Amino acid sequence: MDKNMENFEFPRIRRLPEYVFEQVNRIKYQLRREGKDIVDFGMGNPDIPPPKHVVEKLCEVAKRKNVHGYSSSRGIPRLRKALANFYKRRFGVELDPEREVILTIGAKEGYSHLMLAMLSPGDSAIVPTPTYPIHYYAPIIVGAEVRALPLPMELEGEEFQEEFLRRLYDVYNSSMPSPSVLVISFPHNPTTLTVDLDFFKEIVRFAKKNNLWVVHDNAYADIYFDDYVPPSILQVEGAKDVAVELYSLSKSFSMAGWRVAFAVGNPVLVRNLQRLKSYLDYGVFTPIQVAAIVALESDYSVVREIAKVYEKRRNHLVNGLNRIGWEVRKPKATMFVWAKIPEYFTEVKGMGSLDFAKFLLYEAGVAVSPGIGFGKHGEGWVRFALVENEMRIKQAVRGIKRTFKKAGFYGHLEKGGVNA
């Protein structure tokens, strides 16, 4: 290859910024090669194994001679029916397995190809920010534009929902031409913000009034705590007229690497996604699909047991950080903690979120995701993924306490420190 071509990028690739998280990952791997122990809260990659009986079914079916060819791109019929039955039990939502359910190779693939099916150059999508990066960049990859909706992260509950809706109306009304898609995801990654069913009712009403499609990524539907239970947008009467929802087994059943998710709801969107995917893939490995049926038909307690692990980790991390003077809100859902960087480091030390993440990595041996990696509106925050056990969480809090003290933040700490 001509050396002048080594750094060549095609136009679509030039629209994508450098993946910020990769900078943190490079440092993390370097420190580990040097023998440093890193407590890693960076990537939301579940460390909890899937339910045992689901793994056993995968192994059993994989031994059969007739399951190693191409599978069904849209999902085998029994799997789509299992998902429909699950939605009926979990959300009280009726789904037609033939017209309103399609298997995707993880929610990320399903969402990306849905954007490819729905959007063309000149179209635009409204995407709340900060956000899971693919939510923002999938429309850009297909040549469309994004209208960012900054999340009011300091608010909670009804105040948050009311301000979100006010901002939605402003973004929509100030956009020319009018956006054709609204992307939402609650419980939210990275901010952990949550909504109730009345919020979705207003989203559906607004979407119908303005001929707006709604794509709701419901990846954290089953990772919830305390007295909060996340709703599905499809619980709203008439939601299937305008909305499609993505549901994943990655976090709920701790099957992230299996790549099993679904797009469900509006039959027009499902049909168009199905037609596109028929050209692009041959579906998920059949034994994985059969094992996914077993997962979906399991007693719901297997999902709640996984959520309880995250709840205990949440409590240890949030309580520990608050004890050392880092005020952090306790999330009602997701496997994350979204933490505003103490003003001492942003105002006095002049650190951005990437600087602060590197600081924790080098000085405390703790890896977190910088908020800037989720978009410019994530600046000033970091995200912890609850993928380390309770002993490691205590170790991390001790390391952060020592690092804060060394940096001159000790005057802000409560007496007594961390109970280790």
Side-chain angles (χ1 to χ4, degrees), residues 156 192 226 314-315 318-319 322 328-332:
E156 289 184 279
T192 75
D226 308 324
R314 174 203 67 166
N315 293 341
V318 172
N319 293 342
N322 281 318
V328 176
R329 190 162 60 195
K330 188 171 285 187
K332 295 180 180 179

Side-chain angles (χ1 to χ4, degrees), residues 110-258:
Y111 171 77
S112 299
H113 283 146
L114 189 59
M115 293 297 103
L116 182 59
M118 297 174 71
L119 296 171
S120 299
D123 293 337
S124 66
I126 299 175
V127 181
T129 177
T131 187
Y132 185 50
I134 196 61
H135 286 171
Y136 192 92
Y137 286 104
I140 289 175
I141 290 170
V142 304
E145 301 295 329
V146 172
R147 305 288 180 247
L149 191 165
L151 289 169
M153 293 179 290
E154 303 287 358
L155 303 178
E156 289 184 279
E158 290 186 8
E159 289 184 338
F160 163 74
Q161 295 175 167
E162 290 173 2
E163 179 60 19
F164 179 98
L165 292 169
R166 187 190 68 78
R167 295 185 184 190
L168 170 61
Y169 308 149
D170 287 346
V171 170
Y172 183 85
N173 291 330
S174 63
S175 299
M176 290 295 291
S178 296
S180 56
V181 181
L182 168 64
V183 177
I184 51 176
S185 180
F186 294 105
H188 188 258
N189 174 21
T191 69
T192 75
L193 290 162
T194 57
V195 298
D196 58 31
L197 192 58
D198 284 340
F199 172 86
F200 283 141
K201 289 178 181 177
E202 178 57 23
I203 291 290
V204 170
R205 184 203 67 78
F206 180 79
K208 287 187 174 185
K209 177 183 176 182
N210 295 284
N211 296 315
L212 189 67
W213 292 114
V214 180
V215 177
H216 179 233
D217 186 350
N218 205 13
Y220 299 94
D222 301 303
I223 309 299
Y224 56 86
F225 319 120
D226 308 324
D227 58 352
Y228 176 72
V229 180
S232 162
I233 193 172
L234 300 182
Q235 289 174 253
V236 177
E237 185 177 355
K240 285 193 284 186
D241 295 339
V242 293
V244 69
E245 185 164 78
L246 295 160
Y247 179 82
S248 171
L249 273 62
S250 291
K251 309 306 191 300
S252 299
F253 292 87
S254 209
M255 294 165 59
W258 298 44

Side-chain angles (χ1 to χ4, degrees), residues 25 74 93 110 113 119 159 206 240 253 277 281 291 304-305 336 344 359 381 383 404:
N25 287 337
R74 62 191 295 227
V93 172
H113 283 146
L119 296 171
E159 289 184 338
F206 180 79
K240 285 193 284 186
F253 292 87
K277 282 173 61 62
D281 68 71
R304 297 307 298 145
E305 287 302 314
F336 305 113
Y344 177 81
F359 166 71
W381 300 70
R383 191 195 72 178
F404 279 9

Side-chain angles (χ1 to χ4, degrees), residues 225-226 309-319 330-333 336-337 386 393:
F225 319 120
D226 308 324
V309 174
Y310 289 123
E311 183 174 13
K312 290 179 181 178
R313 293 175 180 182
R314 174 203 67 166
N315 293 341
H316 276 80
L317 180 61
V318 172
N319 293 342
K330 188 171 285 187
K332 295 180 180 179
F336 305 113
V337 169
L386 299 172
I393 289 171

Side-chain angles (χ1 to χ4, degrees), residues 1 16 36 46 90 100 116 129 166 217 230 233 269 275 291 299 314-315 403 420:
M1 178 184 291
L16 302 176
K36 187 166 184 177
R90 169 69 175 85
E100 299 174 339
L116 182 59
T129 177
R166 187 190 68 78
D217 186 350
I233 193 172
L269 297 181
R275 185 169 178 183
D299 189 282
R314 174 203 67 166
N315 293 341
T403 299

